[in-house]
Amino acid sequence: MLFFAVFVLFSMLILRLGIVQIVYGEDFKREIERTEDVTVNNPVPRGKMYDRNMKTIVDNTPSKAITYTKSQSTETKEMLMVAERLAKLISKDSEEDLKKVRERDKKDYWILTNEERAREKIKEKEWAQYDEKKLDDKALYNLQLDRITENELNELTKEDLEILAILREMMSGYALSPQIVKKEVTPEEFAIVSENLEMLPGVDTTTDWERKYSYDKTLRSILGKVSDSEKGLPKEKLEYYLARGYSRNDRVGLSYIEQQYEDVLHGQKAKVKNITDKGGNVLDSKIISEGQRGKDLVLTIDMDLQLAVEKIIEEELAKAKQQPRTGLLDRAFVVLMDPNTGEVLSLAGKQIVKDEETGKTVMQDFASGNFTTSYNVGSAVKGATILTGFNTGAISPGTQFYDTPIKIKGTNPKKSWKAGLGTLDDRNALKVSSNVYMFRTAINIGKGNYKYDQPLYLEPQAFDTMRNYFSQFGLGTRTGIDLPNEMVGFKGTEKRPGLLLDFAIGQYDTYTTLQLAQYVSTIANGGNRLQPRIVKEIREPVMKNNEVGPVLNELEPVILNKVDAKPEWFDRVQEGFRRVMQERGGTAYGAFYTADYKPAGKTGTAQAFYDGPKRKNYDLPPEVMNLSLVAYAPHENPEIAMAVMVPWAYEGNQGHHANNDIGRRVLDTYFELKKKRLEGNMNPEQPIQEIEKKEEGTDLLEEIDEEIDEEIEQ
């Protein structure tokens, strides 16, 4: 019976094995050999940026790198083994590398390398609860983490921390996506790792890239930043980028041009097909497409002009700081724009700050402040006030007012900056910058009946009327520049009659320097509000560094709106602006009357309240003067428009004229540069020489650093 039973069992086993091998053998064989194709996108270098004269502004610098690609089934112990081997071949113990290692990383590493001691951290009662499924693996692990002491963490040696720094980089990547373990690898490290790839599964040597800025810190606040491979995609836009085929550790533009033109600059990623077995191990890799680096941008900026303008701002700002009552002055801005196309030729801004490392006073790039900060600009907006008056019928071309102080009952008199201006028409009111003429215009817009020292009622909707018309010039509204984070400015909320008079002379609402540039460009070209542009062309990338690819897209001028005004009205304002700079008695005559390029423009001085970085030092904000200047040239056929803004220039009623000094030098430089190019005398290496000169220590602030510190403290 026993023999028979054994015989039957063996017969059944043989029958079963026969069925498995003969009937299902091919199916099981295919299952064992089953593979999966997983396509991975590898990043490529970003596109370059050039100035309008095809000088490289932003490039990519290649550097050797070591990467690690984990499979879908890679275990932590295997990664630790690779990290230990890799630590013997490369150095990863710099202060910056070790700073990235957090306490939690150390605890994880301690548990990984001290399994028995980590197990002892769990009490018998807790193990019993685990067996009863009252505690899960995560709960036990958290208990282990909480019970690791500081002394136990101090057991980790420098070698352990180096291994941990490598392991941390390896673990931060995603399955089948290469993760950079170390950048800026030395040739020796690159060679020795390449020779030992067989004993380092998942490790590879490759070429990485970093952004290179040919003009150092010039325009850096506008060019923008790019994330690194460690931070990858920003959390706030994670889903947005993942939906567009990005990997989590891809580098993307984080601000300004890099962010605005991310779709153009990031390029077409290389596609690699990884063939994996059912365990997730990579069996083979095949390149589907090589990929292509990002497309190149040609900016509207003229870097020769940009460098010169920045130097002028630095020198004039340093010069102004030597004047009394300038302790709060810390910035100045200039925008140069083609009034016929909207192309921004220069977007310059400088800010005086304390260097956190050296403690010295330095001037840093603040070009973004041209459209991210706003100020009361004063009389520069009076051209818009006159045109608003014409449009509403409050005044007509040739309307005259006698310049005498305005007094509303219960308020202080409002007057022009200078007594005895006499009877003025609209053109001469602009020439001598009459406040009273603008007050009278605003009163008529508000349909008021003014009598000296009597109550004055103005229609509240007059504020909306003036703001709506000002917005046709770009004042108090977004200019439409192709950059993010543009500021609109602040609008006053109260609607008392006296505030409408302040609005008419630019001392109520605030505007950005870029808005001023768009406004004066609109006046210069006769009423077309053009969209300012920082990018001129998009070009196809080419492999050779000294060549530029063909044009893919040339951005055409965009007219946002046409101002509701008759051509003869613009003629009146343009004539007033011409008299400001070319006729004796004009507020900018002293600075511009010798200019052979025949400029036209308008100065501005605004009584304002300080609202800068030192505001917290005062219970009440100090009263300051903001200086502004708008101009264009030549007045008959404008080719360049300019806006200058010097906030918090000085305290008190009198001070320097940095706005005029900066404006004159900037326009002189523009026309001198144009002349040199026409004559063929322009030195192509000039921008580089300027940078080298700055690096040699010619910073003007060094000479007056102590004086500035003392005045700011006072």
Side-chain angles (χ1 to χ4, degrees):
M1 292 292 292
L2 179 62
F3 175 81
F4 181 74
V6 171
F7 174 78
V8 171
L9 291 173
F10 268 99
S11 298
M12 293 173 63
L13 178 61
I14 292 170
L15 179 63
R16 178 60 182 165
L17 289 173
I19 293 173
V20 169
Q21 184 172 356
I22 297 171
V23 179
Y24 298 108
E26 289 299 320
D27 293 339
F28 285 119
K29 184 178 180 181
R30 283 194 296 270
E31 178 65 21
I32 292 173
E33 296 176 350
R34 180 172 63 86
T35 60
E36 293 183 359
D37 295 343
V38 180
T39 301
V40 177
N41 295 326
N42 290 337
V44 293
R46 294 176 71 81
K48 300 179 181 181
M49 297 185 202
Y50 302 91
D51 84 335
R52 65 188 300 111
N53 300 310
M54 306 314 297
K55 294 182 178 180
T56 304
I57 301 176
V58 183
D59 202 346
N60 300 303
T61 301
S63 61
K64 299 182 185 300
I66 295 173
T67 64
Y68 177 77
T69 306
K70 62 182 178 182
S71 68
Q72 295 171 327
S73 61
T74 303
E75 296 183 354
T76 307
K77 288 185 178 180
E78 180 183 344
M79 295 173 68
L80 176 61
M81 178 268 293
V82 174
E84 290 173 344
R85 293 178 180 176
L86 196 55
K88 296 177 181 178
L89 305 178
I90 66 173
S91 173
K92 188 78 172 171
D93 58 356
S94 68
E95 185 177 348
E96 183 180 352
D97 292 328
L98 299 182
K99 273 184 180 179
K100 296 178 182 178
V101 178
R102 302 165 299 178
E103 183 178 343
R104 171 60 188 266
D105 297 325
K106 295 179 181 179
K107 289 184 176 182
D108 290 334
Y109 181 79
W110 189 91
I111 292 175
L112 192 62
T113 55
N114 296 273
E115 292 184 357
E116 289 300 322
R117 294 170 64 186
R119 186 178 178 83
E120 293 172 1
K121 297 286 183 182
I122 306 301
K123 300 176 182 178
E124 292 184 5
K125 181 175 72 172
E126 293 163 342
W127 282 118
Q129 292 176 329
Y130 176 76
D131 293 336
E132 296 172 2
K133 297 186 177 180
K134 293 181 179 179
L135 293 176
D136 56 14
D137 292 326
K138 184 178 180 180
L140 290 184
Y141 194 76
N142 287 334
L143 289 173
Q144 291 174 322
L145 291 173
D146 293 338
R147 293 168 183 173
I148 296 175
T149 66
E150 187 175 344
N151 289 334
E152 288 171 330
L153 289 182
N154 290 335
E155 295 173 3
L156 299 179
T157 64
K158 185 177 180 181
E159 289 73 18
D160 288 326
L161 294 178
E162 186 174 6
I163 294 171
L164 177 53
I166 294 174
L167 181 63
R168 183 180 181 277
E169 298 289 355
M170 294 167 59
M171 296 180 69
S172 63
Y174 298 92
L176 303 179
S177 294
Q179 173 66 24
I180 294 178
V181 176
K182 183 178 180 181
K183 297 184 287 187
E184 299 180 3
V185 178
T186 65
E188 293 77 12
E189 290 174 331
F190 192 84
I192 195 170
V193 170
S194 299
E195 293 171 0
N196 292 276
L197 291 179
E198 291 184 1
M199 57 175 285
L200 299 168
V203 175
D204 198 4
T205 52
T206 186
T207 300
D208 190 34
W209 55 269
E210 293 292 339
R211 277 312 219 186
K212 175 186 176 183
Y213 300 92
S214 304
Y215 294 87
D216 194 31
K217 296 180 180 180
T218 300
L219 268 184
R220 286 292 290 275
S221 64
I222 294 298
L223 299 174
K225 296 180 180 179
V226 179
S227 64
D228 55 31
S229 57
E230 181 181 357
K231 295 181 180 178
L233 303 180
K235 291 182 180 179
E236 62 273 13
K237 299 187 72 174
L238 180 62
E239 298 300 327
Y240 171 86
Y241 284 119
L242 290 178
R244 283 157 177 78
Y246 284 76
S247 301
R248 291 177 181 267
N249 59 350
D250 277 353
R251 283 173 282 189
V252 296
L254 297 177
S255 59
Y256 298 111
I257 296 178
E258 294 279 12
Q259 177 186 348
Q260 185 75 16
Y261 288 91
E262 169 63 29
D263 292 344
V264 175
L265 290 169
H266 84 279
Q268 182 179 345
K269 301 170 76 173
K271 292 184 180 295
V272 178
K273 181 168 69 176
N274 291 321
I275 302 173
T276 64
D277 59 19
K278 65 178 183 179
N281 299 307
V282 178
L283 301 177
D284 191 17
S285 295
K286 295 182 179 179
I287 297 176
I288 300 176
S289 62
E290 293 288 346
Q292 186 182 52
R293 73 170 175 84
K295 298 176 178 61
D296 298 332
L297 298 180
V298 178
L299 305 187
T300 61
I301 298 293
D302 183 332
M303 286 305 293
D304 296 329
L305 184 60
Q306 178 74 23
L307 287 169
V309 172
E310 289 190 0
K311 184 178 180 182
I312 291 169
I313 294 176
E314 288 184 358
E315 293 176 352
E316 292 299 331
L317 199 50
K319 178 181 174 183
K321 286 295 293 182
Q322 298 181 64
Q323 301 298 316
R325 304 183 306 280
T326 58
L328 299 175
L329 170 62
D330 71 342
R331 63 193 66 186
F333 307 100
V334 174
V335 176
L336 289 177
M337 181 172 159
D338 186 331
N340 304 302
T341 64
E343 294 180 359
V344 177
L345 278 66
S346 177
L347 195 68
K350 290 291 180 177
Q351 182 180 17
I352 300 174
V353 297
K354 280 282 189 180
D355 189 296
E356 294 181 357
E357 296 182 359
T358 64
K360 291 184 177 181
T361 301
V362 297
M363 287 192 188
Q364 69 178 14
D365 176 67
F366 195 24
S368 60
N370 281 289
F371 57 90
T372 61
T373 61
S374 65
Y375 312 93
N376 297 117
V377 301
S379 301
V381 304
K382 287 179 178 177
T385 301
I386 294 294
L387 286 166
T388 307
F390 291 161
N391 180 264
T392 58
I395 58 174
S396 302
T399 296
Q400 295 184 341
F401 292 116
Y402 181 69
D403 192 290
T404 187
I406 297 286
K407 188 175 189 313
I408 303 172
K409 188 176 180 62
T411 66
N412 294 324
K414 291 179 175 291
K415 56 185 180 179
S416 296
W417 65 279
K418 179 181 177 182
L421 294 179
T423 301
L424 304 168
D425 67 0
D426 46 288
R427 296 171 300 181
N428 285 326
L430 291 172
K431 171 184 173 180
V432 299
S433 197
S434 169
N435 289 344
V436 172
Y437 195 97
M438 307 304 149
F439 296 156
R440 289 285 191 173
T441 301
I443 291 172
N444 289 350
I445 292 172
K447 298 180 180 178
N449 182 19
Y450 168 74
K451 292 183 179 180
Y452 187 83
D453 202 21
Q454 293 298 313
L456 176 65
Y457 172 79
L458 299 178
E459 293 181 350
Q461 57 266 34
F463 284 90
D464 295 331
T465 299
M466 294 193 71
R467 283 176 177 144
N468 289 339
Y469 201 77
F470 273 42
S471 68
Q472 293 187 41
F473 297 89
L475 295 171
T477 188
R478 285 186 172 83
T479 65
I481 191 171
D482 50 340
L483 290 171
N485 305 325
E486 182 183 4
M487 186 181 192
V488 174
F490 294 102
K491 294 178 172 62
T493 56
E494 296 186 30
K495 295 188 175 181
R496 298 196 305 270
L499 296 177
L500 184 67
L501 275 56
D502 293 339
F503 181 93
I505 61 171
Q507 297 195 166
Y508 191 42
D509 288 2
T510 65
Y511 309 112
T512 68
T513 313
L514 185 61
Q515 287 174 349
L516 287 180
Q518 189 179 54
Y519 149 72
V520 75
S521 293
T522 305
I523 290 178
N525 65 38
N528 293 325
R529 183 166 80 99
L530 289 157
Q531 178 182 1
R533 288 185 293 108
I534 202 75
V535 172
K536 183 179 178 69
E537 297 170 349
I538 299 173
R539 288 182 174 256
E540 189 74 36
V542 292
M543 295 301 294
K544 295 182 179 180
N545 287 331
N546 58 348
E547 293 185 6
V548 181
V551 176
L552 288 176
N553 186 11
E554 184 173 0
L555 303 180
E556 299 293 333
V558 176
I559 298 176
L560 299 176
N561 63 267
K562 293 189 177 183
V563 177
D564 184 13
K566 297 178 180 179
E568 55 266 30
W569 295 352
F570 273 103
D571 292 342
R572 303 283 297 189
V573 172
Q574 291 168 351
E575 173 59 18
F577 276 26
R578 185 196 67 81
R579 294 180 182 184
V580 168
M581 293 187 164
Q582 296 185 37
E583 284 192 4
R584 188 178 299 276
T587 54
Y589 176 76
F592 287 93
Y593 77 96
T594 59
D596 57 5
Y597 42 80
K598 304 301 180 185
K602 185 72 190 75
T603 57
T605 304
Q607 293 175 310
F609 292 98
Y610 175 73
D611 191 29
K614 296 185 179 296
R615 171 65 182 85
K616 60 184 178 181
N617 298 338
Y618 302 92
D619 294 331
L620 295 175
E623 293 186 15
V624 291
M625 289 291 186
N626 295 342
L627 302 179
S628 64
L629 174 70
V630 294
Y632 56 87
H635 73 266
E636 292 181 346
N637 187 22
E639 63 180 77
I640 188 70
M642 175 184 68
V644 179
M645 189 70 216
V646 186
W648 319 318
Y650 54 85
E651 297 175 69
N653 294 325
Q654 293 183 340
H656 58 83
H657 301 284
N659 55 335
N660 290 346
D661 296 337
I662 291 173
R664 174 61 194 264
R665 291 185 62 187
V666 166
L667 287 183
D668 285 353
T669 300
Y670 169 81
F671 285 101
E672 287 171 5
L673 189 60
K674 176 185 175 183
K675 182 179 179 182
K676 286 182 179 179
R677 284 176 173 154
L678 291 174
E679 294 174 350
N681 295 329
M682 188 63 201
N683 180 5
E685 298 300 323
Q686 185 175 354
I688 305 300
Q689 292 173 356
E690 290 287 349
I691 290 176
E692 291 175 349
K693 186 176 180 182
K694 289 183 181 179
E695 292 175 349
E696 290 172 2
T698 59
D699 189 352
L700 293 174
L701 282 177
E702 293 183 3
E703 301 175 3
I704 59 170
D705 192 39
E706 295 181 1
E707 297 178 13
I708 292 175
D709 291 343
E710 183 178 352
E711 188 166 352
I712 290 176
E713 290 174 3
Q714 290 174 353

